[in-house]
Amino acid sequence: MENSPAGLNGPLSVREVGIRSYVVRSGRMTDMQKDALVGLYPKYGFDWEPARTLGPVDVVGRDAPFIVEIGFGMGTATVAIAEALPDVAFLGLEVHAPGVGKLLSEIEARTIANLRVCRHDAVEVVDSMLAPESVDGFHVFFPDPWPKKRHHKRRIMGADFVRLMASRLKAGGYLYYVTDWEEYAEATLETMSAEPALRNAYGRWADREAWRPVTKFEQRAINDGRPIRELKFIKR
Ligand SMILES: C[S@@+](CC[C@H](N)C(=O)[O-])C[C@H]1O[C@@H](n2cnc3c(N)ncnc32)[C@H](O)[C@@H]1O
């Protein structure tokens, strides 16, 4: 089932080198998620096509600010933000099938016209399917913290991916990262600060954007007393 529908054929990653930031979980899918993945991916999804570049015209049929979200999970924040900012074109990248199915079903049910998805390794999509200086903003919300030291190399916010995203941003574009994992926040602050193409929009931690909703996941972190750390860096 995982790779059977049209548009979802092929591997989630084609890299022969480099460490992946995710493991493919065989998580259970609801019938609705499965049906959405099969039936709606052709309507709202982009295939992995490294020879092609994606931009706002592919999402909304015209030029518009273009925001790319890395690892949207179940897409709760993605949907809320796309609805809050209807004049912005959103592209969501995620490998996890139940999450992609869920987001597709929300796009259909809520008739969201400014959000499309690609189910493939975000590192490869950013590298191969986004043109340099074409993106107005990247959202990276609560990426997997890979807490064990020996797994830190799997963290998506490594220097290489930060540099790659920076290269895809237009001048003045932003990279917005949020985590509830203090040590990952500190490490990412260091990584992003060390990237010459970026500057911190704040002294240190950023303020929450008014359009970013508190998800269930985030509420649990707040209830457990973990601070939410936000970073917003601007492309020079
Ligand atoms: C901890 S979850 C957070 C999900 C969501 N952003 C949220 O705030 O609830 C991180 C997500 O990133 C996805 N992910 C990790 N590495 C990825 C990659 N290279 N390409 C696409 N998705 C990735 C995982 O599948 C997972 O769903």
Side-chain angles (χ1 to χ4, degrees):
M1 160 67 230
E2 272 273 308
N3 287 320
S4 57
L8 291 176
N9 288 312
L12 290 173
S13 170
V14 296
R15 265 183 289 166
E16 281 169 18
V17 292
I19 294 155
R20 297 196 184 114
S21 56
Y22 61 91
V23 283
V24 178
R25 292 162 282 160
S26 56
R28 283 244 203 120
M29 291 180 79
T30 65
D31 287 344
M32 196 195 215
Q33 289 163 0
K34 267 186 217 162
D35 291 349
L37 203 54
V38 178
L40 298 177
Y41 198 87
K43 199 167 166 187
Y44 303 119
F46 295 114
D47 290 346
W48 162 246
E49 277 182 71
R52 173 181 185 186
T53 51
L54 294 174
V57 175
D58 301 289
V59 177
V60 293
R62 61 184 153 76
D63 197 19
F66 182 44
I67 304 290
V68 179
E69 181 173 353
I70 310 295
F72 57 73
M74 299 307 281
T76 317
T78 318
V79 164
I81 296 169
E83 287 186 324
L85 305 173
D87 297 329
V88 175
F90 289 93
L91 173 65
L93 308 177
E94 176 55 69
V95 289
H96 188 48
V100 176
K102 170 80 173 132
L103 185 59
L104 292 169
S105 69
E106 292 291 327
I107 294 174
E108 177 81 352
R110 296 165 176 250
T111 53
I112 299 174
N114 59 329
L115 171 59
R116 303 281 295 268
V117 304
C118 180
R119 185 180 176 224
H120 193 85
D121 186 336
V123 175
E124 295 181 5
V125 174
V126 174
D127 189 25
S128 303
M129 296 183 72
L130 298 179
E133 308 201 352
S134 67
V135 176
D136 291 273
F138 282 103
H139 293 173
V140 191
F141 299 153
F142 302 98
D144 300 294
W146 293 105
K148 292 184 183 146
K149 195 150 193 180
R150 70 173 192 279
H151 287 153
H152 284 185
K153 56 183 183 287
R154 288 185 172 275
R155 288 177 169 175
I156 200 157
M157 293 300 280
D160 289 350
F161 191 51
V162 167
R163 188 176 320 119
L164 180 61
M165 285 191 284
S167 74
R168 289 343 189 216
L169 284 173
K170 297 175 187 169
Y174 67 82
L175 173 44
Y176 184 21
Y177 157 92
V178 185
T179 186
D180 63 332
W181 200 266
E182 189 70 13
E183 180 267 327
Y184 193 9
E186 295 281 355
T188 304
L189 173 61
E190 212 170 287
T191 304
M192 288 169 79
S193 302
E195 171 49 55
L198 298 174
R199 66 169 174 85
N200 196 338
Y202 291 79
R204 188 169 164 81
W205 308 121
D207 293 339
R208 164 188 289 275
E209 291 287 352
W211 39 256
R212 194 179 73 73
V214 180
T215 59
K216 260 192 249 166
F217 174 83
E218 182 173 354
Q219 191 57 54
R220 205 176 316 137
I222 295 167
N223 295 347
D224 292 348
R226 287 196 300 282
I228 305 300
R229 298 297 189 204
E230 320 216 0
L231 290 171
K232 191 175 188 194
F233 276 63
I234 308 292
K235 171 81 175 276
R236 290 181 199 274

